[in-house]
Amino acid sequence: MCGIVGAIADRDVVPVLIEGLKRLEYRGYDSAGIAIVAEEAVRRVRRTGRVAEMEAAAGAEDFHASLGIGHTRWATHGGVTEGNAHPHISHGELALVHNGIIENHEQQRERLLALGYTFESQTDTEVIAHLIHHYQSQGHDLLVALQHAVKELDGAYAIAVISKRDPQRMVCARMGCPLLVGLGEGENFVASDVSAIVSATRRVIFLEEGDTAELTREQVRVFDASGAEIPRDVHVSDVSLASLELGPYRHFMQKEIHEQPRAIADTIEAIIDRNSFVSAMFGENAEDIFRDIEAVQILACGTSYYAGLTARYWIEAIAGLPCAVDIASEYRYRQVVANPKQLIVTISQSGETLDTMEALKYAKSLGQQRTLSICNVPESAIPRASELVFYTRAGAEIGVASTKAFTTQLVALFVLTCTLAKLHGRLDAEQEAEMLEALRHLPGSVQHALNLEPQIVAWSERFAPKQHALFLGRGVHYPIALEGALKLKEISYIHAEAYPAGELKHGPLALVDAAMPVVVIAPNDKLLEKVKSNIQEVRARGGEMFVFTDQDSHFSESEGVHVIRTPRHVGVLSPIVHAIPVQLLAYHAALARGTDVDKPRNLAKSVTVE
Ligand code: M6R
């Protein structure tokens, strides 16, 4: 969603701001802007649409300065207009960018109107700019004015502020939304995501909840929620520039689909090296916690939720533990019956998803303190709020449609399953060796599935003109059908739904006719014969079938039944291999329809609002 970048330096920071905003584009946005303090004035340029349009406008207006802030906005309060785009300015003196939502903005607006402030936008953000200006006008310096103002805000925010009254510094604050400070040589930065500043510096301080900070060229000072100056750890980010570049690919989604053998190999590297499922990989206390738990509760959204649904089959069958999986935005408002002996597992690529974070907080507030985060972004909010952590090593995922994050989440969940099974006496040495062997072969099997791309391209051309599609699966492959339908609708805008194949006759069969393509995930597992019967039900109604199956399933092509064979059945890891063809199908169908694959309409990469 929204992105923030800011810089104070001895050089012109405008190119730094523009590059930072371009690196934040992947998060999803609909307008962009920058503000600078130059020659004792605050200047601003904003545009709806792409950063490149705003960049051109900044070039035309000869923008140069050594202090500035920038923002990409994903509209929540107020439409997509230039007037609602950030930065927001108070009294021509102070400029501010904001991520998050201010819940008490209406009350603050009333108060500020009474104080004589006027409003130019429909946003919740503008009140913050005026509030800080109000405190500055009472004689406080910029930092103290910010500290006073944030005390009056309810909601979530990451804020960066510059003022012409104080042209030698920038101040920032964080509550509920990520914000970090980048440390350079004689220059310093602020950003909502390390990718925005990685070409300037890798040394970063992740601000904690309630922190405020003051940046000059030479110094960064951080203050905790009580206002006391506090030392915070400096981290060196290992985000690779290559993972942020497109390279020879047409889209990040295509690149990330093809990176999956490597992403999976990196994620399992430590397990393969140790040749054992070791609980220490999840954190220091993992063994004690894992031994003691009696059940697992998974919380996640979107694709990460489907990873959780897949894991339920593994955790119950292999580890023998009851496992519930909830959509985080539902769980957080349900009257949950708490079980302190339950392991709360959150799954989030970004580690920032607000609903997942709030579900975790709710679970903890009910006395469920054993928490594990499976996440792809080190030091993000959700792992920081969890006792145990397993980082997937997919590398930065830029495409809005999650691909390599999904398959590496599945790998992480499989490792969790085997580790729990071992500690609960359900995995002997021989079985452990079998599971490790299966994992070792997984990157190769995924590569074989990627090699099916030319056949899938041919299928996608038949999909592209369709309005609707059905996806079917059974058992552990049902969540892969769900994921396939989500991928297709998300990037190609073809309406797609997924059902457990056995459920078809209870309603959705009424939708089937010759215009409805039906994708079936049907590997050679114990439910194959059942799926074959379900396929007959569809064929009898004239539906056209597109079946992904494996080499040893003896599935034959016939009129209206098209078959693509994935590699030989890879046993328990089959859902991971079958995620690949549905990703490729969605990607190529979207390509054929000419949609914006990496930035589908209305969607954002990190969903940091409710
Ligand atoms: O960062 P998270 O894994 O918490 O994100 C959850 C969902 O927003 C995300 O998986 C979304 O569904 C993807 N765009 C799907 O491709």
Side-chain angles (χ1 to χ4, degrees):
M1 298 201 136
C2 306
I4 288 176
V5 62
I8 181 163
D10 258 339
R11 55 179 168 138
D12 182 11
V13 297
V14 172
V16 177
L17 301 179
I18 300 285
E19 183 189 340
L21 293 181
K22 285 185 174 169
R23 291 203 190 277
L24 291 172
E25 284 189 291
Y26 80 95
R27 298 171 64 92
Y29 71 106
D30 35 49
S31 56
I34 58 173
I36 54 172
V37 174
E39 290 156 19
E40 293 173 23
V42 172
R43 295 177 66 201
R44 161 178 76 179
V45 59
R46 300 177 292 178
R47 287 291 181 276
T48 56
R50 295 294 180 219
V51 172
E53 290 160 40
M54 191 273 294
E55 179 185 14
E61 292 184 31
D62 205 20
F63 261 53
H64 301 284
S66 54
L67 173 62
I69 51 178
H71 192 261
T72 47
R73 172 176 188 253
W74 191 85
T76 55
H77 294 63
V80 182
T81 63
E82 202 169 296
N84 286 333
H86 300 209
H88 287 283
I89 290 183
S90 183
H91 276 249
E93 295 186 345
L94 172 151
L96 170 141
V97 288
H98 163 228
N99 288 357
I101 288 179
I102 302 305
E103 284 162 9
N104 61 339
H105 69 103
E106 279 169 5
Q107 296 95 301
Q108 293 294 354
R109 184 179 273 250
E110 293 302 313
R111 185 182 149 212
L112 288 157
L113 282 168
L115 286 169
Y117 285 91
T118 53
F119 285 82
E120 293 175 349
S121 76
Q122 289 81 50
T123 66
D124 54 332
T125 298
E126 199 177 349
V127 297
I128 318 174
H130 292 325
L131 255 187
I132 299 171
H133 181 269
H134 165 66
Y135 283 112
Q136 243 192 337
S137 305
Q138 292 190 336
H140 297 294
D141 74 17
L142 186 58
L143 176 70
V144 175
L146 170 76
Q147 288 170 334
H148 278 306
V150 293
K151 283 205 177 74
E152 296 181 22
L153 302 177
D154 294 338
Y157 53 79
I159 298 167
V161 192
I162 54 175
S163 166
K164 77 170 191 184
R165 288 196 203 180
D166 214 341
Q168 304 303 327
R169 60 179 171 167
M170 172 164 45
V171 295
C172 58
R174 175 215 161 156
M175 177 67 82
C177 294
L179 194 67
L180 57 91
V181 172
L183 308 174
E185 296 294 327
E187 53 187 27
N188 289 305
F189 309 89
V190 62
S192 52
D193 182 326
V194 71
S195 62
I197 54 167
V198 75
S199 48
T201 183
R202 289 182 175 276
R203 296 176 59 236
V204 297
I205 294 172
F206 295 101
L207 296 184
E208 303 272 343
E209 294 290 66
D211 279 358
T212 50
E214 175 191 74
L215 289 73
T216 63
R217 287 183 193 92
E218 301 303 335
Q219 202 186 19
V220 169
R221 298 170 72 202
V222 181
F223 305 85
D224 67 14
S226 74
E229 189 168 351
I230 186 155
R232 294 272 183 234
D233 293 344
V234 176
H235 300 258
V236 178
S237 168
D238 64 358
V239 169
S240 83
L241 273 177
S243 70
L244 305 173
E245 311 282 353
L246 201 48
Y249 294 95
R250 194 161 161 193
H251 295 102
F252 278 103
M253 184 183 180
Q254 182 193 25
K255 175 179 182 239
E256 288 156 6
I257 289 174
H258 283 273
E259 281 175 347
Q260 289 178 103
R262 201 266 313 137
I264 291 171
D266 287 352
T267 301
I268 58 176
E269 189 183 11
I271 297 116
I272 299 300
D273 285 354
R274 293 174 196 224
N275 202 25
S276 175
F277 294 104
V278 184
S279 44
M281 284 180 301
F282 295 86
E284 262 179 32
N285 303 328
E287 179 159 349
D288 291 345
I289 293 171
F290 285 174
R291 272 191 202 287
D292 200 39
I293 57 142
E294 291 170 354
V296 177
Q297 166 73 61
I298 297 177
L299 304 171
C301 302
T303 288
S304 299
Y305 169 69
Y306 296 149
L309 282 184
T310 313
R312 178 169 64 188
Y313 290 88
W314 289 333
I315 290 170
E316 294 191 340
I318 301 170
L321 291 168
C323 178
V325 191
D326 272 80
I327 293 175
S329 56
E330 287 295 309
Y331 181 88
R332 61 182 285 203
Y333 292 115
R334 222 176 64 214
Q335 287 205 306
V336 167
V337 179
N339 175 3
K341 286 268 192 187
Q342 183 164 254
L343 179 68
I344 303 293
V345 180
T346 54
I347 310 169
S348 175
Q349 185 287 129
S350 61
E352 283 180 24
T353 302
L354 186 88
D355 282 320
T356 307
M357 183 64 175
E358 292 302 320
L360 170 63
K361 285 187 192 161
Y362 175 49
K364 283 163 70 170
S365 75
L366 298 174
Q368 304 173 121
Q369 297 301 331
R370 284 120 179 224
T371 56
L372 163 67
S373 156
I374 293 178
C375 185
N376 193 42
V377 180
E379 294 300 328
S380 51
I382 295 173
R384 281 149 64 90
S386 307
E387 187 166 12
L388 305 177
V389 180
F390 186 102
Y391 285 118
T392 48
R393 291 179 55 201
E397 191 179 68
I398 307 290
V400 163
S402 189
T403 52
K404 61 179 181 173
F406 178 60
T407 47
T408 54
Q409 284 168 349
L410 289 175
V411 165
L413 288 159
F414 183 74
V415 171
L416 173 66
T417 302
C418 293
T419 310
L420 290 174
K422 207 171 143 180
L423 292 173
H424 285 256
R426 302 264 305 197
L427 197 73
D428 63 25
E430 194 180 329
Q431 290 164 321
E432 181 178 15
E434 272 171 31
M435 298 301 188
L436 287 164
E437 192 59 8
L439 268 182
R440 207 171 276 123
H441 285 112
L442 185 61
S445 306
V446 167
Q447 184 57 56
H448 280 121
L450 286 169
N451 296 344
L452 298 169
E453 192 164 8
Q455 294 171 61
I456 296 170
V457 172
W459 277 17
S460 67
E461 280 154 15
R462 307 173 73 140
F463 265 74
K466 303 287 184 188
Q467 296 303 315
H468 308 275
L470 265 182
F471 282 68
L472 304 177
R474 287 197 82 146
V476 72
H477 294 96
Y478 164 52
I480 304 304
L482 286 164
E483 172 62 2
L486 176 63
K487 286 287 90 89
L488 189 70
K489 63 187 140 194
E490 185 175 25
I491 57 166
S492 76
Y493 316 149
I494 296 172
H495 170 226
E497 298 299 333
Y499 282 91
E503 188 65 9
L504 207 57
K505 55 192 171 294
H506 298 291
L509 198 53
L511 295 171
V512 171
D513 61 16
M516 173 75 88
V518 182
V519 179
V520 194
I521 321 295
N524 186 20
D525 62 12
K526 64 177 188 200
L527 290 172
L528 179 63
E529 290 311 316
K530 307 265 178 221
V531 178
K532 282 183 174 170
S533 310
N534 301 139
I535 286 175
Q536 290 314 318
E537 293 162 10
V538 176
R539 260 322 282 153
R541 273 92 194 162
E544 192 173 13
M545 316 289 306
F546 296 85
V547 183
F548 290 116
T549 187
D550 38 30
Q551 292 294 348
D552 36 4
S553 69
H554 309 294
F555 226 111
S556 37
E557 294 243 358
S558 56
E559 200 195 330
V561 181
H562 315 286
V563 177
I564 288 184
R565 291 180 199 286
T566 56
R568 286 187 68 78
H569 189 55
V570 296
V572 70
L573 294 175
S574 170
I576 302 180
V577 173
H578 282 86
I580 310 299
V582 296
Q583 294 170 350
L584 287 169
L585 182 63
Y587 173 70
H588 287 287
L591 213 58
R593 286 168 75 98
T595 56
D596 190 347
V597 172
D598 283 334
K599 300 184 200 88
R601 67 185 179 203
N602 308 336
L603 298 181
K605 182 67 182 162
S606 296
V607 186
T608 50
V609 296
E610 227 185 306

